[in-house]
Amino acid sequence: MRINVVTIFPEYFAEPLRTSIVGHAATAGMAEYRVVDLRDYTHDKHRTVDDEPFGGGAGMVMKPEPFFEAVDEMRPEGPIVLLSPRGRMFDHKKAVQFAVEEELTLLCGHYKGVDERVATGLATEELSIGDYVLSGGEPAALVVIDSVVRLLPGAMNDHESAAGDSFYDGLLAPPEYTRPAEFRGMEVPDVLRSGDHARVEAWKREQAENMTRQRRPELWERER
Ligand code: JBE
């Protein structure tokens, strides 16, 4: 899968795209990252990517032309996503959708926002990773990349497997423990040390259900 990123901070992506599962997917040939500098698609001496908003107001707005020209040159197939707090909420289902694409393009905005024509005339969808304001779309793009790339066939080994993911079957994952069995007075539940596989699975299911009901009632209701 090829993943394109359009950003004014290409250096922001260097280390994350080399690290862990996301990095391994690239070295192993399962993913290819193409990060382009939005300023390379400006035509003035100062490489200007923003301008004052029509109609007034505080802050600057990112110009449409550099985004359009960057995407024109990439000729991408597949989804073109503008990361923005105004977008529909990104979730695991969307990550699975992206993971079966051959190509995915992520546009990162900054300042007060991006000229609306990027959202309506260039991006195929606008997505948000959560109801908080980031200083730019870059951290959101990395979140999307991470959640998608780990789903690519072969990206994870058996230890890391996506099969036990939270959200895999619509529930939060049950609590996990490792050694020591007792630590600072806190004990690992007996059932997990019983060796009784059926009891362990029943306990995990019950924990997952209780946790989801208590912490994420809206997820629980969606599962009904
Ligand atoms: O979630 N997002 O994609 C964002 C992008 C830019 C700024 N804030 C966000 N929450």
Side-chain angles (χ1 to χ4, degrees):
M1 174 182 206
R2 169 179 255 173
I3 300 182
N4 306 304
V5 179
V6 181
T7 172
I8 55 168
F9 296 123
E11 70 279 10
Y12 186 91
F13 292 86
E15 209 57 33
L17 295 184
R18 275 203 294 255
T19 306
S20 189
I21 291 169
V22 168
H24 174 248
T27 0
M30 276 136 359
E32 182 191 335
Y33 309 120
R34 189 159 59 157
V35 180
V36 307
D37 188 342
L38 186 70
R39 290 189 197 277
D40 289 347
Y41 299 90
T42 58
H43 304 287
D44 64 312
K45 194 175 95 198
H46 296 107
R47 313 224 298 162
T48 309
V49 291
D50 62 339
D51 203 341
E52 292 162 355
F54 272 115
M60 301 288 269
V61 175
M62 292 185 86
K63 298 160 59 60
E65 310 95 309
F67 281 107
F68 277 80
E69 288 181 31
V71 171
D72 283 349
E73 190 175 285
M74 292 189 294
R75 302 178 156 279
E77 314 251 354
I80 304 174
V81 178
L82 176 63
L83 282 320
S84 133
R86 294 168 47 209
R88 203 179 70 76
M89 206 60 72
F90 179 71
D91 60 11
H92 191 70
K93 194 174 133 204
K94 188 51 91 171
V96 172
Q97 272 179 37
F98 287 160
V100 300
E101 297 281 353
E102 281 303 316
E103 191 166 12
L104 173 66
T105 300
L106 304 171
L107 311 178
C108 305
H110 260 267
Y111 311 112
K112 198 179 83 177
V114 178
D115 187 288
E116 184 65 11
R117 289 165 290 191
V118 174
T120 56
L122 181 63
T124 57
E125 56 196 301
E126 196 171 353
L127 292 175
S128 165
I129 62 156
D131 287 335
Y132 34 79
V133 182
L134 299 168
S135 55
E138 283 79 7
L142 282 177
V143 165
V144 171
I145 292 169
D146 189 288
S147 65
V148 170
V149 168
R150 61 191 293 286
L151 296 173
L152 299 178
M156 284 189 285
N157 58 39
D158 287 346
H159 286 285
E160 299 156 340
S161 158
D165 281 357
S166 277
F167 304 115
Y168 185 79
D169 56 1
L171 296 175
L172 300 183
E176 304 269 15
Y177 295 89
T178 186
R179 283 181 282 271
E182 197 235 291
F183 173 67
R184 297 194 178 182
M186 298 176 283
E187 298 216 348
V188 172
D190 280 335
V191 54
L192 294 180
R193 298 155 64 195
S194 68
D196 183 339
H197 185 68
R199 270 186 69 215
V200 168
E201 285 311 306
W203 181 87
K204 285 186 177 177
R205 182 82 203 176
E206 185 194 327
Q207 290 288 317
E209 291 186 359
N210 289 344
M211 237 177 218
T212 308
R213 211 183 295 119
Q214 285 163 19
R215 298 182 179 191
R216 301 292 305 277
E218 85 291 1
L219 272 186
W220 179 253
E221 287 310 318
R222 210 196 292 169
E223 285 308 293
R224 300 303 82 210

